[in-house]
Amino acid sequence: MKPSRDISGLIEIMAALRHPETGCPWDIKQDFASIKPYTIEEAYEVADAIERNDPEDLCDELGDLLLQVVFHARMAEEKELFSFEDVVEAITRKMIRRHPHVFERSDADTPDKVKAQWVEIKAEEKADRAARRVARGLPQTETPGQLTEVPRALPALMEALKLQEAASRVGFDWGAAGPVLDKIEEEIAELREEIASGETEKAAAELGDVIFAVANLARHLKTDPENALRSTNTKFRSRFAQVEAGLAKEGKTPASASLDEMEALWQAAKLRP
C-alpha cells in the first residue's frame, strides 16, 4: 500500500483497516456512534486551520475530515446500507438540483435570490425525504413547520442563530438591534431573580434565554456569534498566558498566587495591544 492521489487508494486503505481478520483492532471495533465525536472534532480542526491562515495544516486537516467520510461509508457498505460511491452520487445530484441557475435555467441572478431559491429547494428535499420515510414505515422525525429546516444536531449556538434566521424569514423578528438589547437586559433580570432564589434549574433555563438573546443580537449586528466568541477565547488565552508569565517571573504559578495578584497582571495584560 502506497500514498496515492486517487480516492480509490484511501478507500482501499480503509477496507484494509476494517478487515475482520487482518485489519486494525481499533478500527474494526468502531461504529457510527463511536466515530461521530471524531468527525465533529475534525470539522472543528479544519475551521481552526482556516482561522490560523495555515494552508499546510488546512490541507492536512481536510484529509482527516475526508477520512471520516470514507470511514462512515465503509461501515455502511459492510452493513449493505450504502457505499462511498453512493455518497458521491448523492451530493453531486444535490448540488446540481440546488443550483438550477448554473446547471439549468433560473432567474436567481443575485446572491439574495440564490439564497431564497436554496431554502425553497431544501424545503422540497425535506418533504421528499419525509415522504420516503413514511413509505418505508418509519415515523416522522418532526412536525412539519417553518423551523424543521434547522437540524437539531447543530452546535447549540449555531442552531440558535439558524432558528432565528428561519423565524425572521416569516416576519417573526425585531427590526433593529435596540429592542434585542432590551430583551437581553430583561432576560438578565430574570436570571438574577432565579439565582437569588437558589433555583439552580430555573437559573440554568434563564441563562439559556440570555445566551439565545445574545445570539440574536449578534445576528442583528451581522456578526457570527461563534466567531465573536472564538475571538474572545483567543484573547483570553493570550491574556492568561501573560498572567502566567508574570507570575513565573516571581517564581509563582496561578495555583500558588492570590486572586488579587492575578487580577493585577490581568489588568496589565488588557492594556497591552
Side-chain angles (χ1 to χ4, degrees):
M1 196 70 69
K2 297 180 180 179
S4 172
R5 288 177 174 266
D6 190 332
I7 187 64
S8 62
L10 181 57
I11 294 172
E12 289 174 7
I13 288 173
M14 181 50 64
L17 292 174
R18 290 280 297 180
H19 192 284
E21 296 176 0
T22 59
C24 169
W26 186 89
D27 290 282
I28 292 169
K29 77 173 192 175
Q30 302 310 312
D31 57 25
F32 295 127
S34 66
I35 289 298
K36 181 180 71 172
Y38 298 100
T39 307
I40 295 170
E41 180 181 330
E42 296 300 350
Y44 276 112
E45 290 187 0
V46 167
D48 177 61
I50 293 171
E51 290 170 6
R52 291 186 286 103
N53 194 27
D54 190 329
E56 184 176 345
D57 267 10
L58 177 58
C59 179
D60 191 58
E61 297 299 345
L62 285 171
D64 290 345
L65 186 57
L66 177 58
L67 175 65
Q68 295 298 308
V69 177
V70 172
F71 205 148
H72 284 286
R74 177 61 197 180
M75 291 187 291
E77 187 170 2
E78 292 168 358
K79 295 177 179 292
E80 299 184 350
L81 300 173
F82 57 83
S83 67
F84 181 81
E85 290 75 15
D86 293 326
V87 173
V88 174
E89 182 182 7
I91 188 59
T92 52
R93 183 189 303 113
K94 181 184 295 183
M95 296 310 291
I96 292 169
R97 184 173 59 244
R98 291 185 180 181
H99 293 82
H101 54 293
V102 175
F103 301 108
E104 297 177 17
R105 287 193 172 186
S106 168
D107 61 356
D109 54 1
T110 68
D112 286 343
K113 287 182 179 180
V114 168
K115 187 174 182 180
Q117 176 182 261
W118 181 279
V119 170
E120 182 179 339
I121 293 172
K122 283 187 68 176
E124 292 172 357
E125 292 172 354
K126 197 172 187 85
D128 289 342
R129 283 198 300 272
R132 290 198 300 271
R133 285 181 62 85
V134 172
R136 295 200 306 270
L138 298 174
Q140 289 194 36
T141 54
E142 289 188 6
T143 303
Q146 182 66 22
L147 302 183
T148 57
E149 68 184 64
V150 181
R152 292 180 178 273
L154 291 173
L157 194 57
M158 186 184 300
E159 181 187 9
L161 191 64
K162 290 189 176 294
L163 287 171
Q164 293 160 2
E165 289 173 347
S168 178
R169 283 195 287 272
V170 292
F172 191 73
D173 196 7
W174 280 290
V180 186
L181 276 170
D182 294 338
K183 183 63 176 177
I184 292 172
E185 292 173 357
E186 175 189 324
E187 297 294 355
I188 290 175
E190 293 176 1
L191 175 59
R192 289 183 186 278
E193 290 178 8
E194 298 302 343
I195 291 174
S197 72
E199 294 282 352
T200 55
E201 289 188 8
K202 291 183 179 180
E206 293 298 342
L207 177 60
D209 291 346
V210 171
I211 297 171
F212 190 87
V214 169
N216 203 6
L217 176 62
R219 183 173 61 86
H220 279 271
L221 296 177
K222 301 187 185 305
T223 297
D224 184 335
E226 179 74 21
N227 289 339
L229 181 57
R230 190 174 293 276
S231 176
T232 294
N233 290 344
T234 299
K235 182 167 56 179
F236 183 87
R237 285 176 184 271
S238 174
R239 289 176 179 174
F240 194 77
Q242 292 177 53
V243 170
E244 290 178 306
L247 291 173
K249 290 179 181 178
E250 301 174 9
K252 296 182 178 181
T253 66
S256 65
S258 69
L259 179 58
D260 287 341
E261 289 174 308
M262 288 191 284
E263 178 64 22
L265 289 167
W266 179 268
Q267 292 301 326
K270 286 179 64 176
L271 296 176
R272 299 189 184 100

